[in-house]
Amino acid sequence: MYFTVYVLLLAPAVLVAAGPTVSRYLAPAAAVRVLTCLTAVAAGATVWALTVLAVGGLAHTAQVQAYAHSSPRRLAAADPVPYGFGVIAAALLATALVRLAATRWHRARELRALDAVRARPAAGDLIVLPADHADAYALPGRPGRIVVTVGMLRALPVDERAVLLAHERAHLTHHHHRYAAIAQAAAALNPLLGRLRDEIAFGVERWADEAAAEAVASRELAARSLARAALATTCLPGPPPALAYLRHRIAARVGALRATGPTSRRRRVWPAAVAALATAVALADATVALVRCLNTLLP
Amino acid sequence: MGEHARDQRRESGALEAEVMAVLWAEGVPMTAGQVHTALGASAPVYKTVLTVLGRLHGKGLLERERVGRAHAYVPRRGPADEVASEMNQALVRGADRFAVLQRFVDGLDPDDERALRDLLDSRD
């Protein structure tokens, strides 16, 4: 029965491997939702497997035995996790939780600092910053805002500016920051899930690109706006942005907009769905095993 | 509030953003007529542009001066703008910002740069 715990530990690797297929065969909005589910299931599997192993393994220590008045033989029968595994699992679990806490803390601090920008008077949902470099982003929260520098506004002709505003507005109306937050938390819990986080980051941009193309009723116009904005940012001062993976994919986004509109081919994502379902079953089984172990410990 | 009223309110917010973007991009005082022209094909009727300009002025976002019989509008800049701008500059250069805010574009690879220039040149 404890075999399922080890299945859970392998699940994130399998789910990460399914990521590219999901991105490729689903339209961006559907892909982001499915990828976010996969990453949440994978993070859950990681945490739960480590918890079960830690409880099972550490139950062998003398103090726990004395406290629980359980017989070592009965425990061994219910729970074949070696003590060493328990120690390693507990250490990994603690590391994962510390990383998650650190990520959450950084995020809260950055959002608080950005409140100063959010507090600026807005025209509708737009805040313009009088800076010469080209930059634009969606600032989620209440109220959500589109922040654009004067440098970016001047770099684009009026119809391409409409694409930019529609793109950022799509981030806000579809609550893209929530998918981003889940992806980031999952990657903090299990670094293997960084690949899925990158897929989600790209999917979210593609989703907003498609929404903007629809808003201005022209994929070609959306592609040109994106290309021009990207070229305008090449004269950005300071060190290059940390998110290098997005940089490599501007050309991919422009290319996707110049191709025909995306359609979902759901049959192709069956393997990913089956992997997620199998993980969910393994999660349930491991939970039963944990309960059995605790029952033996605390009769 | 009905569906229609909500749609209208969202529309007017988007319109305020577009008008403000035009005024910042041009950077010179503009009359309602000039803003209307600059908005191009997607422009609403002239009267709506006039209303939006009045609303933005009421919010303290625009300064206006008399030019003949019309008003010319220009974005109001204060010291707080510069501070917010500098702070923004420092912040968005930070570490993993993906989870905090979503940007339009995040820099570019030199190889892609030429391809994108070609794309724009083919139509300009």
Side-chain angles (χ1 to χ4, degrees), chain B residues 6-122:
Chain B
R6 209 177 310 152
D7 270 1
Q8 264 193 338
R9 212 181 60 165
R10 190 188 303 154
E11 275 296 297
S12 88
L15 202 52
E16 281 185 26
E18 274 168 51
V19 168
M20 201 66 186
V22 163
L23 286 166
W24 273 108
E26 301 295 330
V28 291
M30 293 172 86
T31 62
Q34 287 167 325
V35 172
H36 183 250
T37 312
L39 278 170
S42 66
V45 294
Y46 170 80
K47 223 180 133 187
T48 309
V49 174
L50 201 60
T51 312
V52 169
L53 284 169
R55 206 156 53 217
L56 290 172
H57 177 255
K59 284 186 185 177
L61 286 162
L62 299 179
E63 286 177 52
R64 71 176 175 197
E65 55 191 73
R66 248 192 192 288
V67 179
R69 293 175 60 192
H71 279 117
Y73 296 85
V74 69
R76 171 174 289 163
R77 328 178 42 142
D81 283 322
E82 313 291 341
V83 174
S85 186
E86 270 168 38
M87 194 161 53
N88 168 72
Q89 180 75 326
L91 275 171
V92 299
R93 305 262 110 216
D96 189 357
R97 287 169 290 101
F98 159 61
V100 179
L101 40 90
Q102 281 86 45
R103 298 179 119 184
F104 191 44
V105 287
D106 226 328
L108 191 60
D109 237 26
D111 287 344
D112 294 342
E113 193 175 331
R114 195 169 332 121
L116 294 186
R117 279 195 201 286
D118 289 346
L119 163 72
L120 292 175
D121 289 345
S122 69

Side-chain angles (χ1 to χ4, degrees), chain A residues 107 110-111 113-114 116 120-126 128-131 133 135-138 140 150 153-154 158 161 164-165 167-169 171 176-177 180 184 197 201 205 220 224-231 233-234 236-237 239 241-243 245 247-248 250-251 253-254 258, chain B residues 10 12-18 20-27 38-42 56 59-61 77-78 80-82 84-85 87-89 91-110 112-114 116-117 119-124:
Chain A
R107 180 183 156 78
E110 287 189 13
L111 274 177
L114 282 162
R120 307 289 313 136
D125 49 8
L126 175 71
V128 181
L129 296 176
H133 70 276
D135 197 7
Y137 57 87
V150 174
L153 291 176
R154 290 198 176 140
V158 65
R161 271 201 305 262
L164 163 78
L165 293 176
H167 174 106
E168 299 304 343
R169 203 165 282 138
H171 281 318
H176 284 167
H177 65 286
Q184 195 199 32
R197 180 202 52 199
E205 294 306 324
E220 183 63 28
R224 291 162 60 75
S225 172
L226 189 52
R228 209 183 302 277
L231 290 171
T233 56
T234 50
L236 261 172
L243 297 173
Y245 55 85
R247 251 201 286 171
H248 300 300
I250 289 289
R253 283 169 62 192
V254 171
R258 301 192 76 209
Chain B
R10 190 188 303 154
S12 88
L15 202 52
E16 281 185 26
E18 274 168 51
M20 201 66 186
V22 163
L23 286 166
W24 273 108
E26 301 295 330
L39 278 170
S42 66
L56 290 172
K59 284 186 185 177
L61 286 162
R77 328 178 42 142
D81 283 322
E82 313 291 341
S85 186
M87 194 161 53
N88 168 72
Q89 180 75 326
L91 275 171
V92 299
R93 305 262 110 216
D96 189 357
R97 287 169 290 101
F98 159 61
V100 179
L101 40 90
Q102 281 86 45
R103 298 179 119 184
F104 191 44
V105 287
D106 226 328
L108 191 60
D109 237 26
D112 294 342
E113 193 175 331
R114 195 169 332 121
L116 294 186
R117 279 195 201 286
L119 163 72
L120 292 175
D121 289 345
S122 69
R123 284 279 303 272
D124 281 348

Side-chain angles (χ1 to χ4, degrees), chain A residues 40 103 132 135 235 260 281:
Chain A
T103 305
D132 290 330
D135 197 7
C235 18
T260 50
V281 171

Side-chain angles (χ1 to χ4, degrees), chain A residues 94-115:
Chain A
T95 312
L97 293 178
V98 167
R99 277 169 53 99
L100 176 67
T103 305
R104 301 301 299 173
W105 185 77
H106 277 295
R107 180 183 156 78
R109 198 184 55 170
E110 287 189 13
L111 274 177
R112 244 193 336 269
L114 282 162
D115 276 346

Side-chain angles (χ1 to χ4, degrees), chain A residues 9-285:
Chain A
L9 281 178
L10 281 179
V14 175
L15 294 173
V16 165
T21 314
V22 172
S23 301
R24 190 159 158 213
Y25 291 110
L26 290 184
V32 166
R33 293 193 177 107
V34 171
L35 288 170
T36 307
C37 283
L38 292 187
T39 196
V41 168
T46 306
V47 169
W48 207 222
L50 291 178
T51 307
V52 171
L53 283 176
V55 170
L58 295 181
H60 291 287
T61 52
Q63 281 101 332
V64 174
Q65 299 274 317
Y67 176 75
H69 308 293
S70 77
S71 94
R73 200 175 308 147
R74 274 178 54 205
L75 184 65
D79 157 44
V81 178
Y83 174 65
F85 276 27
V87 174
I88 294 171
L92 287 176
L93 184 63
T95 312
L97 293 178
V98 167
R99 277 169 53 99
L100 176 67
T103 305
R104 301 301 299 173
W105 185 77
H106 277 295
R107 180 183 156 78
R109 198 184 55 170
E110 287 189 13
L111 274 177
R112 244 193 336 269
L114 282 162
D115 276 346
V117 176
R118 195 198 310 278
R120 307 289 313 136
D125 49 8
L126 175 71
I127 291 173
V128 181
L129 296 176
D132 290 330
H133 70 276
D135 197 7
Y137 57 87
L139 184 57
R142 285 190 200 142
R145 292 285 186 237
I146 299 168
V147 183
V148 187
T149 62
V150 174
M152 180 65 94
L153 291 176
R154 290 198 176 140
L156 301 176
V158 65
D159 50 351
E160 293 178 18
R161 271 201 305 262
V163 175
L164 163 78
L165 293 176
H167 174 106
E168 299 304 343
R169 203 165 282 138
H171 281 318
L172 296 177
T173 52
H174 295 295
H175 305 290
H176 284 167
H177 65 286
R178 291 184 191 159
Y179 301 99
I182 292 172
Q184 195 199 32
L189 285 168
N190 184 345
L192 258 186
L193 300 177
R195 290 253 311 273
L196 279 181
R197 180 202 52 199
D198 297 354
E199 295 269 350
I200 290 170
F202 181 68
V204 154
E205 294 306 324
R206 283 280 304 120
W207 183 347
D209 284 344
E210 290 297 332
E214 199 176 316
V216 299
S218 166
R219 304 176 65 77
E220 183 63 28
L221 178 61
R224 291 162 60 75
S225 172
L226 189 52
R228 209 183 302 277
L231 290 171
T233 56
T234 50
C235 18
L236 261 172
L243 297 173
Y245 55 85
L246 279 183
R247 251 201 286 171
H248 300 300
R249 304 188 81 172
I250 289 289
R253 283 169 62 192
V254 171
L257 281 170
R258 301 192 76 209
T260 50
T263 46
S264 288
R265 289 162 70 184
R266 290 193 195 148
R267 271 196 216 162
R268 298 288 196 145
V269 297
W270 267 111
V274 169
L277 197 67
T279 308
V281 171
L283 268 171
D285 192 51

